[in-house]
Amino acid sequence: MSVKVNSAFASVLLAFGLLLPCQLGLPTTTNQGDRIIVFVPTRQAQLDWLELIHSQAGKPGEVGENVRFWFGPGLLNQETIVFVPGGDYGRLVAAIPSSQDTYSWWTVQKENLGKLVTGETRRSSDISSAYRTYQEILNFLDQTQSTCGSFCSVEKYGTSYEGRDLKLIKIGDDLPSKRIVWIDAGIHAREWIAPATALYFIDKIVQGYKSSDSTIKSMLDNFAFYIAPLLNPDGYVYSYTFTRERLWRKTRSAQAGGCYGVDLNRNFGYHWGGQGSSSDPCDENFRGSSAFSEPETRAVRDKLLAIRLRTISFITMHSYGQDWMVPYGYAYNVSVDNYAQMMRPVQAAADKLKSLGRNYDIGNSAVVTYPAAGASDDYAASIGVPYAHTIELPDTGQYRFLLPQSEIPRVGLETLEALKVYLGYIAAANQPRDE
Ligand code: 0X9
Ligand code: ZN
């Protein structure tokens, strides 16, 4: 939900239109005719209409029933971007108030969204050559474990609402004296580059250990890694099934009013219910009925509490926006006490990324993005983890959530290089905390 918007998006959609549907891997889409509409309201009446459509989410029979707001509605003269399923397109367009100006206040991205997701054809056995299914992710964790002996272990830390295993892999000596680096991904279903990057990390860290790569070895001398590549498997499976919704964000738990899903990154119990979260079960940012109402957040909480004193760094990977952020983000003008200390390795990571050709914004999460209460980064900081971050992986608005899978190796490599630099900075603090 980054608000950084890039006008090259339309040309990218067209470029994808030239690609053939997939032969392997991803199933053929049935959502032909889905559209993205970009509105730029210049009059209050237009903004009011957008607010009205926004409020109709999930309400049967209403024009806005199935319209998903990716950005906005915000302010006058700001872009509001919506996703409209093919079956709802005609009725929405018929309802748009006509402009009193000579120019139109809305434009349609003409290309089929389906082609954006089905243009992906190549897959090889390399884990980073494709966006992986839930089952492929579990298989990869098990295969990795079977090749690295006692140096890795896969742990089931919970069960999702729909009954799927929540799993993480521990890499390195899991001794009480070893500080833990927690890395998770996939809390938001549609942000596929995040789980793909987590799998890249697992692959390269284990390979580096086996081949005695000196940087990886020294990382593993200092830290044990707990990597949970898919916090929201139900949402991911739903997003991965193109008869459903590629751009789904939440979980799939049944809610009041016939709507589905909780935004797990609004469900954690620190300032739960505050800014940037919604009490409306049909909203994309629905926070759940209470703090930790969802099995997925409870499972992360319980695991984190169990390893709290050993954990030196908590990193949660999202997309998109290219941001490396520091708590607190539940409101403006609130910060962790050790903000300056936390920013030092983040600055070093951003410098590394810049040297690799990627610009990241860094700083307080509310400032860099927007206030969002009930997020996991704030929770980790609130229980005393000394370094806690949300990373918004690429891009900055060209492909948004639909980053082509051919980008996985580059994103994986540059983020791992940045992580190495980041961890080099905090290695010195490698002592368990006393309570
Ligand atoms: O809104 C979010 O949950 C994150 N952005 S995303 O587009 N991936 O959904 C940002 C969360 C940043 N953290 C806090 N504000 N606490
Ligand atoms: Zn996210």
Side-chain angles (χ1 to χ4, degrees), residues 174-372:
D174 198 22
L175 306 170
S177 58
K178 269 277 165 72
R179 298 304 298 262
I180 292 169
V181 175
W182 169 283
I183 298 174
D184 72 53
I187 198 169
H188 288 144
R190 64 194 172 195
E191 299 166 8
W192 290 8
I193 189 61
T197 302
L199 298 181
Y200 181 98
F201 285 1
I202 295 166
D203 196 32
K204 297 300 178 207
I205 293 172
V206 169
Q207 273 178 27
Y209 169 73
K210 287 184 191 162
S211 65
S212 299
D213 175 283
S214 59
T215 314
I216 297 286
K217 280 284 230 186
S218 100
M219 266 164 56
L220 290 166
D221 285 344
N222 287 312
F223 306 111
F225 290 84
Y226 280 40
I227 304 182
L230 194 58
L231 296 193
N232 173 16
D234 299 349
Y236 187 75
V237 167
Y238 190 74
S239 161
Y240 210 103
T241 309
F242 297 127
T243 47
R244 311 262 170 71
E245 278 185 58
R246 167 66 181 85
L247 295 162
W248 189 255
R249 169 180 168 92
K250 301 187 285 181
T251 61
R252 293 295 303 161
S253 51
Q255 302 298 336
C259 287
Y260 288 89
V262 168
D263 182 349
L264 296 177
N265 215 30
R266 303 291 181 274
N267 191 239
F268 282 80
Y270 184 67
H271 287 269
W272 178 86
Q275 285 181 55
S277 71
S278 172
S279 60
D280 177 356
C282 302
D283 195 280
E284 294 255 279
N285 298 120
F286 178 49
R287 58 188 171 233
S289 53
S290 58
F292 295 117
S293 57
E294 305 308 295
E296 295 86 354
T297 48
R298 286 199 298 272
V300 171
R301 173 198 63 189
D302 293 348
K303 191 70 216 168
L304 279 178
L305 288 176
I307 59 171
R308 186 168 77 96
L309 297 179
R310 281 180 62 201
T311 303
I312 191 161
S313 173
F314 170 95
I315 294 174
T316 181
M317 296 196 290
H318 291 242
S319 72
Y320 60 90
Q322 293 174 207
D323 310 305
W324 195 312
M325 300 183 274
V326 167
Y328 287 108
Y330 65 85
Y332 286 118
N333 302 318
V334 285
S335 189
V336 284
D337 292 341
N338 63 336
Y339 180 81
Q341 177 205 357
M342 240 195 250
M343 280 298 284
R344 256 174 252 131
V346 173
Q347 180 68 61
D351 291 346
K352 183 70 189 177
L353 285 157
K354 178 128 184 142
S355 77
L356 296 169
R358 197 76 89 172
N359 284 321
Y360 267 64
D361 288 340
I362 60 172
N364 173 273
S365 55
V367 174
V368 172
T369 53
Y370 40 73

Side-chain angles (χ1 to χ4, degrees), residues 21-27 120-123:
C22 69
Q23 294 129 6
L24 291 169
L26 306 181
E120 310 277 11
T121 57
R122 266 179 293 277
R123 294 161 83 83

